[in-house]
Amino acid sequence: MDQTLLIAADLVAVALLVFALYFPRHRRRDLVVAYLTVNVGVLAVALVLGTSTIGAGLGLGLFGVLSIIRLRSSEIEQHEVAYYFAALAIGLLGGLGASFGWLTLGLMALVLVVLAVGDHPALFRRTRQQVLVLDRAFPDEVELHDHLASLLGGRIRSARVDQLDLVNDSTTVTVRFEVPRASGPVLGAGPGGAPARAVQLEGAGR
């Protein structure tokens, strides 16, 4: 397959990845330039490595090290990691996939389809995860689950106590739950009027 066609396909694919999938769904502007730069950078270096005596294996190893450094340098959520590696994969396919012909274009499309389906807002839309700070200490797990079910108005799937402070009478808990249909997460007063404060919200609507 003509390498120019693959470069064009890579640019189209990363544009769809960033501007049609990621940004409309998550609205994080700083990662837009990261995904675009990573993709084009990987594409450029893969093109050079594919025609040099250095070998693609060394290049892939270097990009693996760079990706670890990038992922550890700032707080990135799991779905953003998926988009990050999708941009890497598409760039590598565009730079090294000329010998596979039309299969390369099919693999690029497959990456986009998997992201479009796996990150769709309608998929598991009733599932929530929240980190809550409760102004009561709950050493008993059954009592904690009952309190969270009443507080959040949903079915508790799991609750992990991150911190139990018996001195200051507080509990920090990571809870995964399902909200009722046509409803959202409810934070309000629990039994006895005890309020809860949400200090972090992760994966709302996911």
Side-chain angles (χ1 to χ4, degrees), residues 129 131 144-145 158-163 172-176:
Q129 174 174 312
V131 179
L144 174 62
H145 276 245
S158 69
R160 186 189 72 233
V161 176
D162 299 319
Q163 183 177 356
T172 302
V173 58
T174 300
V175 55
R176 295 182 177 92

Side-chain angles (χ1 to χ4, degrees), residues 76-87:
I76 299 181
E77 296 184 12
Q78 293 302 310
H79 66 274
E80 293 168 339
V81 173
Y83 281 95
Y84 185 81
F85 281 105

Side-chain angles (χ1 to χ4, degrees), residues 43-124:
L43 173 67
V45 177
L47 288 172
V48 174
L49 292 176
T51 57
S52 70
T53 59
I54 298 177
L58 177 59
L60 292 176
L62 292 175
F63 279 114
V65 173
L66 291 175
S67 66
I68 293 174
I69 295 174
R70 173 65 186 91
L71 294 176
R72 289 174 60 88
S73 63
S74 64
E75 184 175 338
I76 299 181
E77 296 184 12
Q78 293 302 310
H79 66 274
E80 293 168 339
V81 173
Y83 281 95
Y84 185 81
F85 281 105
L88 280 171
I90 291 173
L92 287 172
L93 287 170
L96 301 175
S99 60
F100 293 96
W102 293 101
L103 177 61
T104 302
L105 298 181
L107 292 174
M108 288 183 179
L110 179 62
V111 172
L112 294 176
V113 170
V114 168
L115 273 178
V117 175
D119 191 45
H120 197 280
L123 187 66
F124 305 120

